[in-house]
């Protein structure tokens, strides 16, 4: 049995921009921002995870993204690229703030 691939993952934990409805926030993230993210060089996987604030009213964030790269160098290079700069410049259009976390993912059970 082969060893599963290890990835460096950037999680971006977001709060909705003040004055923006949850629907506007979701639409911008899933339609505009996600399309920009998919253009990142070296991106291996990407997901958006929206928090149901009605079910979890005390959770302080509205969602988080997961971006997988082969290495931290690939992540830094990607976010420094023209596509990465465009992506990061779009964040204030729908997010009040972003708390980025970089982690190393070890796939234990993976389809």
């Amino acid at each position: 049995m082969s060893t599963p691939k290890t990835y460096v993952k950037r999680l971006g934990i977001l709060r909705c921009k003040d004055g923006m409805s949850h629907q506007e926030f979701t639409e911008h993230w899933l339609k505009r921002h996600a399309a920009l993210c998919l253009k990142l060089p070296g991106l291996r996987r990407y997901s958006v995870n929206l928090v149901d604030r009605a079910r979890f009213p005390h959770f302080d964030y509205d969602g988080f993204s997961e971006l997988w790269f082969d290495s931290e160098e690939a992540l830094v290079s990607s976010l420094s690229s023209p596509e990465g700069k465009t992506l990061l410049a779009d964040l204030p259009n729908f997010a009040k703030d972003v708390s980025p976390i970089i982690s190393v993912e070890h796939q234990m059970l993976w389809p």
Side-chain angles (χ1 to χ4, degrees):
M1 186 170 167
S2 66
T3 304
K5 174 78 174 134
T6 299
Y7 290 98
V8 169
K9 181 168 42 174
R10 181 187 188 274
L11 288 94
I13 307 170
L14 283 71
R15 286 184 247 234
C16 181
K17 180 178 174 178
D18 291 335
M20 182 176 257
S21 73
H22 182 72
Q23 181 178 348
E24 292 169 325
F25 170 77
T26 299
E27 283 186 25
H28 187 98
W29 196 352
L30 295 178
K31 293 181 181 172
R32 167 109 175 104
H33 196 75
L36 295 173
C37 193
L38 291 171
K39 295 178 182 178
L40 288 175
L43 183 66
R44 298 295 179 207
R45 290 185 61 151
Y46 172 54
S47 68
V48 172
N49 304 271
L50 298 167
V51 174
D52 182 346
R53 295 295 293 275
R55 288 187 66 201
F56 304 101
H58 302 294
F59 190 69
D60 200 28
Y61 295 93
D62 296 292
F64 63 96
S65 61
E66 298 173 279
L67 290 76
W68 285 260
F69 292 89
D70 288 331
S71 65
E72 191 163 349
E73 293 77 22
L75 163 62
V76 170
S77 177
S78 185
L79 293 179
S80 298
S81 71
E83 295 87 353
K85 290 176 182 176
T86 298
L87 176 76
L88 296 174
D90 182 56
L91 285 167
N93 293 326
F94 73 107
K96 175 169 54 176
D97 56 47
V98 179
S99 298
I101 298 169
I102 297 176
S103 66
V104 176
E105 176 179 85
H106 297 273
Q107 299 172 356
M108 306 309 282
L109 175 64
W110 206 257

